[in-house]
Amino acid sequence: MLRLCADLFGEKINIEVEFDLRRGIAELRDAIVDVLNTEMTFMRGGKPPPAPFQIYRLQVFDDTLLRWVDLTASEQIFEGAQLYAFQPQTTWHTDVQKDLPPSRPPLREPRQDPAAPSVAFAPPAAAPATPSWGGAAAPQPQQPPMHESYSGGRVVAYENGRDGATTAEKVAYLFDEIDAHEKGVITLSEFSGWIRELIDFSDQTLLLLFNSADQQRKGTVTREDFTNGFAKRFGNVVEVAFHRAADRWDVTTREQLARNASQQLSVNQVKEAEVERQIEALQAQMQTLGQQLNGLKQEDTELQQSIQINMELNRSVAHRQATMHAEEQSLMEREICMEMNREQLRESEAMFYEQTQRYDRAASALGSPRRSRRRH
């Protein structure tokens, strides 16, 4: 399931769309167009939309980057992804800067209070707030240059631009502008009110122009009456009214584009300030890390010097220990040798004593006065 947000008839909708994630971007765009065309039909009480939905730009909210990005690859699609579909800019459609509403299932039947197309929904000057669904605010509308004009909810396209419009296109444009509610007929008050906004005609002149179409004095004028009566008789009025209406729309469009650009500039400035803040924080962090690195290098140098000193001390101690061991070995050998000598002396003394004892006994036996030596 994907969540799809779009602006339809001045209302921001966010509907749940079932889509096989294994399919490609082209198939997804086709599915979105079908779903939104059906949604517009049901929003209008079962009446077909004045113009089919066209995708100018398709974006997805990136949960990692926490911002809207263009949807260009199927790898960007995931279960529950939030999409946003922009339409081309027209005089009857302008994307609205509002919070994203909670997602809902698409309409299954026509509304009882069908939505009517309205003209030039200008977004508010304030930046959009964070929507209730928990993601980022709706992306800023970024629309292409306008090549279409509003006509009572219907879009009149000029193949060669406004200056190349045919007389039939101009007449159709004027009638549809006056017939804003798409009744198929216009009244004197509608005709007079709309023409007076463009050309300063008196009430008598406006009545004359209206009656040129309302020849049967019904009080209403059909498209055919408007074309065959008013348009044929007053071609110059048609030309002036058409170009002034188009000029008025051009001014409105430029103002709208300027507001959009100003809002985008403000958003960009906030982003730039945030990026600069992050850069400063990173630079401070890098400086701190550099200081820590220098400290670690200094500590490494001191440790290496300490290791070298300890190794030299160890070598000196080992040498002294070897010398002491050799001296100890020599002393022990001398002590053993002396003990062996003493043992030999004791044995010799014992032998000498025994020999003198024998001599004394022999002398005594012979009557000799010699006395034996005492043994000490």
Side-chain angles (χ1 to χ4, degrees), residues 102-313:
S103 61
R104 61 167 176 80
L107 296 176
R108 302 299 181 187
E109 59 184 14
R111 279 184 177 176
Q112 298 301 318
D113 53 342
S118 53
V119 182
F121 294 97
T130 302
S132 58
W133 65 273
Q140 295 284 341
Q142 298 182 17
Q143 300 289 1
M146 199 174 315
H147 299 293
E148 300 175 330
S149 61
Y150 171 73
S151 55
R154 289 172 291 277
V155 179
V156 178
Y158 307 127
E159 295 182 0
N160 299 317
R162 189 188 83 177
D163 294 335
T166 64
T167 300
E169 289 173 339
K170 296 175 182 177
V171 173
Y173 173 83
L174 294 180
F175 184 87
D176 290 336
E177 281 285 316
I178 299 171
D179 184 22
H181 300 291
E182 302 184 48
K183 298 177 299 191
V185 295
I186 57 177
T187 64
L188 173 61
S189 61
E190 292 172 335
F191 176 84
S192 300
W194 192 86
I195 291 293
R196 186 175 280 118
E197 292 178 359
L198 303 174
I199 306 174
D200 187 19
F201 283 145
S202 65
D203 292 342
Q204 183 178 0
T205 300
L206 290 171
L207 178 61
L208 172 66
L209 295 175
F210 183 79
N211 287 338
S212 68
D214 183 21
Q215 296 182 3
Q216 299 179 5
R217 302 300 186 268
K218 297 177 296 182
T220 58
V221 172
T222 65
R223 182 183 298 273
E224 183 179 359
D225 295 336
F226 189 83
T227 302
N228 295 332
F230 167 71
K232 284 188 175 180
R233 293 181 61 184
F234 300 101
N236 289 333
V237 176
V238 169
E239 286 290 329
V240 173
F242 171 77
H243 284 288
R244 289 189 180 182
D247 290 341
R248 181 174 63 180
W249 169 246
D250 288 344
V251 171
T252 303
T253 301
R254 286 191 293 270
E255 291 175 350
Q256 180 61 50
L257 292 177
R259 283 194 295 270
N260 289 346
S262 177
Q263 292 169 3
Q264 188 63 42
L265 178 61
S266 299
V267 171
N268 290 345
Q269 289 174 342
V270 172
K271 290 180 178 179
E272 289 172 1
E274 177 62 19
V275 170
E276 289 177 355
R277 186 193 67 77
Q278 293 177 359
I279 291 174
E280 291 176 356
L282 288 173
Q283 288 175 341
Q285 186 177 3
M286 288 178 64
Q287 184 176 2
T288 302
L289 291 174
Q291 293 173 352
Q292 293 177 357
L293 179 60
N294 292 334
L296 290 173
K297 288 181 177 179
Q298 180 64 29
E299 185 177 349
D300 289 345
T301 301
E302 294 174 355
L303 288 173
Q304 289 175 354
Q305 292 174 351
S306 176
I307 291 171
Q308 185 68 25
I309 293 172
N310 289 332
M311 289 177 63
E312 293 176 356
L313 289 174

